[in-house]
Every structure is written in structure tokens, then in C-alpha cells.
Amino acid sequence: MQQFTCPFCGPRDETEFHFGADAGKLRPEGADVSAEVWADYLYGTENRKGETLEIWMHLICGEFFKLRRDTVTHRVLAAMPLHAESSR
Amino acid sequence: MTAFRLAHGGDWIDRETEIRFRFDGCSYAGFAGDTLAAALLANGVGVVSRSFKYHRPRGIWGGGVEEPNAIVDIRQDGLRSPNARATLVPLRPGLEAVSVNADPDAAHDRLGFIDRFARFLPAGFYYKTFMWPDWHLYEPRIRRMAGLGEADPAWRSARAADRRHAHCDLLVIGGGPAGLLAARIGAAKGQRVLLVESERRCGGSLRHRAGGIDGKAAAAWIDETVTLLRAGGHRVLCGATAFGIYDHNLVGICQQHEDGRPDTLWRVRAGHVAVAAGALERPLPFANNDLPGVMSADAALRYRVGHGIVPGRRVVVATNNDSAYEVAALLASDADVTLIDSRAEGGPGIAGLHARRGVLVAGAIGDSGVRAVQLSSGERLQADSLLVSGGWTPSVHLFCQARGKLHWSDAAQALLPAAPVDGVSVVGAARDGLMPLGKLFGAVAEAMNAPDGSAETTGAVSTGPEAACGVGAFWPFLGSQGRIWIDLQNDVTAKDVALAVRENYVSVEHLKRYTTLGMATDQGKTSNVAGLAALSEITGQPIGALGTTTYRPPFAPVPLATMVGLQGGELLNPIRRLPLEAQHRAAGAIFQEYGGWLRPAYYGAADAQAAIQAEARKARESVALFDGSPLGKIEVFGPKAAEFMDFIYYNTMSSLAPGRCRYGFMLSETGVVFDDGVLIRLAENHFIVSCSSGHVGAVRMRLEEWRQDRFGRDAVFIHDATAALATLTVSGPQARPLLQRAGLEIALDDEALPHMTVAAGRFDGAPIRVARISFTGDRSYEISIAVERADGLWRRLREAGQAFSAGLLGIEALMLLRMEKGYVVIGRDTDGTTMPHDLGMPGPRNNRKAEFVGRRSLFTEAANAGNRLNLVGLQVAAGEAPLPVGAHGVAMQDGRPRSIGFVTSSGSSPILQRPVALALIEAGATRIGETITLRHLGEMRQAVIAPACAFDPVGDRLHA
């Protein structure tokens, strides 16, 4: 079982976490969002081999955060709050 | 078998404590410190099991975890445990063991004749025969004839296995010389060390092989090391098998206790893992090498040193390596010993030992035990015990589980760990194969000091005799006349391997699955390398090029009960309980689980249907009390709370006035209805999300997601108060008079508290919140109060209700009431495609301009298709039974029936005196009045599509 690091609670078992999305994925908005763009937003994930930056939620404290990890080695490289001001 | 126990000797047993036990119905005696296997040997029991497939007699092969043959069912303390390895079962008073796959017992198995037909039952025979007319006709019988122990369906552990979590800097797996030294070095470096040893005592090979360390006897050094570690605050666990290594160095360890306590399952998160699991001795390939009396030479040494047992009077020791010489030399004082070395040269010279060199064992001769040994030279030796050593297989399982790769070493005649894996080292015989103790200590010290290179800690010096460790190749000879057994536990011979290759199963993974080589409970611990060697000989490829099958946990079988521990039954997913459960029980409630909560289904045990009908009727005719405490109460505060609610909900919520409530949907981004419920606006910047009971956790997560992603912590704050407040509901035409009588400090007249409003009041000094929200279609008041004050309020409501002969409402009756009204339960009356316009609420989709969750998805092609499933009611002819839930509406298309939707809720309405049903039907909203055909389990019914709301469609009763 992997161990992820919540920036607020420290290292915890992966079962305490829930995947959110690829980091940097923007929600397309407005009247003219094409079906293709919307479908990609709903269902497309990068599933990148190697280093990734993802949004995860720590179910215990309820905080979303950014997790940099390697999908091949499963190494956890860094964990950061979602927004800079959250680090207070 | 002619093994016997000497009158003296046996370092591991206590001859003062005799223990009686039973095996296959006979009574025997052994000593404390014996394993079941040792005690059986001491009693001369040669045949301990029947083989998996051919029912051949089998004896004890090994001394530990590798044992392929001696599989027994254990009955002790009233419990029956299947498939224990006799080599690992400590002898305890009252132990009863039964051999598996034998009838009536291992010595006289009725199915022993099957072996005579073995030539007709090669690998994969069942794929080729028993095909006509249908394999399933034969399967049950064949399964009964093959196999291992029996699971006892009535098995219950007296106490659940413990689960313990531990962290350490260094986890050492294996308490032999390499593991003990590795642990000492770690401790000396200031690491927190955990050492696990699968045997009852630490020491590994040092316990039964000659050696001295730091000028001391090996036993003294072992004790000193264990004492040193424990005194330093480190943990040493014995009887503990590391069975799996998982991501980020999580190691699963199953610890069995000698006193019969339930196992302990350890989950250890280790900074670094040192695998010092040693090596396992392999059999030699020759005809009939599975005969009882053929035993691992190293195991024989263990039984001699540890238990004072000699395997026979005339012993042949056959080997391809140096390690068996020590065995032959020691046994020579108790028996007539001849050593057969397959190598013409090399090997330690031992004076006075009868030896043949450069000769192979061609076969073992005997029926249910060894009588003689046939040599390749033509010579035949009389013998009653044949000890063999076919080389050593390093225990690399955990290293391979951690994705380590192996390479073939000709010097060690074994697969050894190749490139290192992060966070895992392999040390000792597991890394390099067998080697002299001095060299081994040097290699361990080097490996353990390597990570930081700092403060060289040397550790131990071998000061005793140094064993030679040469080994030569000796692999299955495929032209052999007799059967050469490769996998003892799964009955796979060298010929089976050849057959598999002939049929083109040449990859090791295919070979494994076709022949079942390495698939049994021992997972090929003694057989895999011989299987590879046979494959190599046939295909002409070097062993190193063949690869190996994948190593997966568990290394050794772990009882499921140990894995489960306390996390089974109700504790697997603990049910949530109402604060007023005791009061409901006193009122005769029958409880069921609804959305994770244990709630009253109905009250009164006699006739469930009659009770439900009576409760529903009472609620319509006068008034009823309902416990709605699990209803979601998620508070949302903040300067952007209204904007937040607009984004979250399908409906516009910012236009709601403080003190008012509005029903709405939450959608997924896919546009599918995710939850429904009432939003209460208490103040300008304060809302309460009253979501469905079973969805509170998921809704809270969803709110958090959007809050953190889009609004920020300065704009919105979320607090889930669901568990803090009980919610008691009074519903029915007499609801207001009942409440007036109850004496709540709140204005209840309709000007002050009209439908869909909320107000604060007090009850007995405690603050209450009263919301006029209805899930029944009748005038209803939901009263929320702090959980600890709920009992008083409930009593007061029940007392006040006596004047109106108020009833209690369970969930089942409530479901009838809401069904009459066409009120949906999300997830029951909707599925993963249902959008708000399918439920008759297209307004916000058409009118809202602002962005909200799921909006774009409501305008896709699929969302606007004409054949979407819409929520409708279904009406059947007078006097008919309710429609079955799940019945499909069918239409004929191209001469074949096609589903046009299905019944989602159905019941019998007491107030309407007829069945009511809700259904999702294709384009149902445009087909009101049409008659459709429904099919369920072959039965056909007719029904008329009707509006979802069957009762009081105008909604007058909400205000009555």
C-alpha cells in the first residue's frame, strides 16, 4: 500500500486519499464550449507515464492538495497545498 | 519409514514434558518443543499424506515453510484448520491431525489405485478428456478426488486475530546468521530495528549446523544478539513470517503464537528492508524421488540435532553439493551411512565416510517407503532412508515481490538477486547462495554499511569450523524410465513438463498454468528451479534466459481469518445508529439498514405488510411521528455562500429569502442528478444543505471540492452538523395541533410559519429549529434539536400525540407515502443517466444563465435525445397486485422484444386503495395514458402510463 503525504497531516496510507484530477486541468465555461472540449474535460485524463502532478483529497481532513509523484516508481516527490495562501 | 528417536540428544525438546496427540485416528506421544512433523518421525510414521492428484503415499520432506507433502487438517481447541504444514505446527496437548486428500487415512487410502492409471492422467488431461457431453458432469467428482484439506463452514475463532501497525528504520526478515548480524549493525547505527524470524527461535542454520562466532558457541552468540537487540528497545518477533512486501515498504507479517492464541497480523512500514530469508534445499531429480523416506538432508540434520531423531538405520545421503557432507558425518555415528556425490571431484574430504563419487542416484525403490537406492553405476544399495540435497534455492520471494530481478549463477546453481531495489537489500544466503560463515559475515557487513558508508561497523567474526559450499549441476534426466517428480505438492513430473513443451506451452508462465507446476500452497518453493532446468534441457535455452514466474504474496499461506482480524462482519463497515434507537426498540421497531444507518423499517413484529399499511394510513388520516435524524445538515457560511449555492445547485438559490426553504437538485458534472433535497437559508450568508441521509459524506466532499477549487477558504466555510442534531418529524393533517399541544416555544400559525419556511424556537430551554418541509405530501414539521436533548422532545411529542392517537412512521411506510406523491429517491427512482428534465424539472436548464455544476452536459446531443428515460407513474387495473420492482417495459422491434424502461418503486397505497408505481420509461412524459406491456420473470403485465404523482396532485394537503 502506498503512502502519500498530506501537506497538513503528514504521511498516511493511500486508502485515506481520493484522486481528484490532473493538476492544471481547467473547467471550460461559457455558452460556446464545444462538445469535444467538454467531453475531454469530463473523461480525459493524462495518465502520464513517469512524473505527474495531480490533485488529491485527504478524506480525513477534507483538504485538496497537489501531489507530485512518479507513476512508474510510485515515488512521492512532493505535496503542496492547493493554493499558496492555504499554507498559512 | 524407520525413523526413530535416540534416547539422548535433541537441543530443542524438553524430554520431561510428554505431549500426547492423535494423527489419523491413532494416539502418539511426543515432547514439548517438537513440531507435529518431528513427533510423527519420532513415532516412525512414514506415510503422512496422499498426493494431490495421483493419491501416492508421501512422507515428510522438509523441516519448515518449504514442506510440500505433510499437509494436514488440524483440530484443536474445538477448531478445525485446513492445510497446515506439519513442519510448522507446534505440538500441543490435545492436538488432533488428519491427513488431507486421503480416505480413510494416509496409510490406507482407497483411491491409491489411481496412481496405476497415471499414464492416462497427464498434465491437462481434463482439458482433453471428460469433454463429452459436458465437463460439468464430471467436474464435481474429479474435484472431490483431488485437492487438499476441507474448510469447516462452522469455523468460528474464539477471538479475532490482532492487527498491529509498526514503524521501524530497519526491518530484517530472517533471524539466521545474516539477519542477526544485519540487525546488530542497524542497532549499532542507531536505527530502530524490527527483526522477524519465522521459526520459534532465532538462529536459522546456526541452530543445527556447526559454527562458532566471536569465540563463542553459535547458540551463545544467538542468545547474546537477541538479548542485545531487545535490551536496546528493538523488537524481535519469532514465529513471524513476512509474507508480502507492498508499495513503499509496507510489509505484511503473520505471527503465530505457540500457546494457541489467535495470530497477530503485523503491518510494518519500514524505512529499509533487509531480506535475510536464507535458502531452501532442493530435491534431487531421480525416478520415484517422491517415495516416503526420501527427505531433505538439511531437514534430517535439523531433526537429528533439534529432536534427537535419526531418519533410518541404513541411510543413503545423495548430493550434488558440499552441504550434505556435514549431515552424513553426523548421522554416521547413529546409522550406517553412505554418501553419493554426483560430482567426480571436489567436496570436503571426511575421514571414515563411505562415499561414491561421480555417481548419480537413478531411482528410489520401494512401495510405501524406501527399500533400496538404484545408482547410475548399476549398483543397488539397501537403504531405509534416502537423504537428498539438490542444491539451494535462495529465498528471493520478497525481493522479487518488490520488483527485484534475478540472474542465473552457475557458481551457486541458483537464481540470485540482480540489480538492487530501492529500500530493499538482500543479504546472506538469499543473496549469494550458501557460503562459509566468515565470508557471509563480511558480505553482510559490507551490504549493511553501504547505504551511508559511514561508521564502519563490522559485527561478527566466524571462529568455528567453516563449511565448504561447492555445488554441481544435477538436473532432471528426461530419458528416465521411471517418473521423476518435480512438484511434489501438485504431482507434476518431468514428463508433464516435456508434454507441455510438446504442446507449445514453452513460456514459464504457460508451463506453470498448463502443468500446475508451482501453483500449490507451497508455490513451488522446492520445485521451481528443477522445472526451469527441465524446460531448459528440452528447449535448449539456458536457464537464465527462461525467466521465472511472477512472485506474488503471500510467501506462505496466511489464514483468511488472520487477514480479516476484527475487520469483519459488522465491523467491516460499522453501521450508524440513531440517538433514539432504544426508544424505537421500546416501541417495537423492526430495524433495517438504510444508507448506512440502522433505522426502524416498521413498528410491530407480527405482520410486516399490515403494519406498514396501517402506519401509512395513520399518517394520511391523522398524524404520525418519524425519526429523520440521519437527514443531512451541512451548514454553509460565508460572504460568497449564496454564490456558492447557486453554483452547486441546479436551481437558483441566491433568490431564496432568509427564513425560507427550496427544493433542488445537485448534479454531477455529467449532468446526472446526484442528490436532491431542501436548501434552507437561515440568514443572508448562512445556508443548511439538507441532503439525503445516505449521501451526506459524498455531498460534503463535493462541496469541499468546489469550495477549495473555486471559492477559497475566505469566501465559504462548510460544517457538517448531521451527527450533532436529531431531526424529529411530525406529519399529517393533525400535525399542527399536536405541536401546539407539545408546548414548543415557537409561533406555529401559517402566517408565521408557512410551507417551505424555517424558524427558530425553544423546547424546555433547548434551541430548536423547525422547518416546514414535507416528504409525505402532508403538512409536516421537521424539528431539529441537539442530540442529547432529543429524548425529551421525542417523549413530549409522543405524549402530545396521544390525544390524536398519533402513529409512528417507519421507513417502509414513508416510502409508500412519498411514492404516492411521486417524490423520487435518487439512486432508486433514478439511475446513472437521469437528468433533471427527465424528472420533470426542465426550468433551470432552459432559463438559468449563470454557470452551475453539470450545466454544459445538459445540452449535449444525448441529453436532448427523444427517447430518454423519464420518470412516470404506472397504473394497473383495479384488483391487480402491485407491479414487481425491476419489471421491464417491453416493445416489439424487428420482431424481438426490447426494453423501454423499468419499474423503480412499487407498492400498495392504503389511502388510494390500489397499487402505485414509479418507473423510468422511454419518452414517458409524452406518453401519459398509453398502455404498455411489462415483463418480469416470464410474467407479462399491462399498465397505463400516468403522471408520477398519484395522490393530491395539486398539493392542497401541504397546507391543510
Side-chain angles (χ1 to χ4, degrees), chain B residues 822-845:
Chain B
Y823 293 161
V824 293
V825 173
I826 303 299
R828 175 170 176 158
D829 301 301
T830 68
D831 66 11
T833 67
T834 308
M835 292 182 168
H837 47 283
D838 300 322
L839 300 176
M841 201 192 278
R845 174 174 88 133

Side-chain angles (χ1 to χ4, degrees), chain B residues 80-136:
Chain B
R80 200 172 78 184
S81 320
N83 299 339
R85 282 146 295 165
T87 50
L88 297 180
V89 176
L91 203 60
R92 286 171 51 216
L95 180 137
E96 192 182 345
V98 181
S99 53
V100 302
N101 204 28
D103 177 24
D105 57 51
H108 319 90
D109 180 35
R110 283 193 193 103
L111 292 172
F113 71 89
I114 286 178
D115 190 42
R116 278 184 267 143
F117 299 95
R119 70 164 71 192
F120 304 111
L121 307 171
F125 71 94
Y126 40 84
Y127 301 132
K128 300 169 184 166
T129 48
F130 302 105
M131 301 292 286
W132 188 90
D134 185 354
W135 154 252
H136 295 102

Side-chain angles (χ1 to χ4, degrees), chain A residues 58-78:
Chain A
H58 186 212
L59 298 167
I60 309 303
C61 70
E63 292 289 338
F64 283 83
F65 63 96
K66 286 188 260 188
L67 183 69
R68 190 179 294 284
R69 65 187 192 99
D70 191 307
T71 57
V72 177
T73 63
H74 285 187
R75 207 170 295 161
V76 172
L77 304 166

Side-chain angles (χ1 to χ4, degrees), chain B residues 34-46:
Chain B
D34 275 337
T35 58
L36 174 61
L40 287 170
L41 284 171
N43 283 280
V45 178

Side-chain angles (χ1 to χ4, degrees), chain B residues 263-385:
Chain B
D263 297 346
T264 303
L265 183 80
W266 291 80
R267 294 162 56 101
V268 177
R269 190 71 77 169
H272 192 88
V273 177
V275 178
L280 297 171
E281 197 168 43
R282 293 195 288 262
L284 277 175
F286 51 79
N288 280 340
N289 58 344
D290 69 328
L291 258 193
V294 177
M295 184 192 263
S296 147
D298 186 66
L301 187 65
R302 291 174 51 129
Y303 291 121
R304 172 63 188 83
V305 172
H307 304 269
I309 293 167
V310 179
R313 309 274 171 189
R314 297 172 68 89
V315 179
V316 172
V317 179
T319 185
N320 65 345
N321 68 86
D322 297 344
S323 71
Y325 279 73
E326 185 181 347
V327 183
L330 186 73
L331 290 174
S333 55
D334 311 309
D336 173 8
V337 176
T338 307
L339 183 102
I340 312 290
D341 191 331
S342 64
R343 302 167 298 171
E345 289 167 20
I350 293 180
L353 200 62
H354 302 291
R356 310 272 194 288
R357 298 183 147 277
V359 177
L360 306 182
V361 173
I365 294 160
D367 297 317
S368 59
V370 173
R371 280 201 326 270
V373 178
Q374 179 69 46
L375 303 184
S376 60
S377 58
E379 189 182 359
R380 182 177 285 201
L381 300 174
Q382 295 303 307
D384 56 4
S385 164

Side-chain angles (χ1 to χ4, degrees), chain A residues 1-4 8 13-14 18 27-31 33-35 38 41-43 57 59 61-64 72 74-76 82-83 86 88, chain B residues 165 167 246-250 267 269 403 422 647 669-670 700-701 704-710 712-714 851-857 860:
Chain A
M1 184 183 294
Q2 299 187 69
Q3 211 173 31
F4 293 159
F8 305 93
D13 282 351
E14 64 176 295
H18 181 80
R27 183 178 192 270
E29 291 184 12
V33 175
S34 73
W38 186 250
Y41 161 70
L42 287 182
Y43 303 111
M57 183 193 205
L59 298 167
C61 70
E63 292 289 338
F64 283 83
V72 177
H74 285 187
R75 207 170 295 161
V76 172
L82 203 53
H83 304 291
S86 308
R88 279 180 283 179
Chain B
H165 297 258
H167 294 80
Y246 305 88
D247 275 316
H248 297 171
N249 275 3
L250 178 72
R267 294 162 56 101
R269 190 71 77 169
R403 302 197 202 173
D422 268 0
F647 183 71
E669 279 283 61
T670 53
R700 202 207 108 205
M701 262 184 63
E704 277 297 340
E705 180 178 353
W706 291 116
R707 177 186 81 104
Q708 293 180 37
D709 183 60
R710 199 177 173 95
R713 57 188 60 223
D714 297 337
E851 194 60 37
F852 56 89
V853 178
R855 181 169 189 268
R856 177 63 183 83
S857 293
T860 63

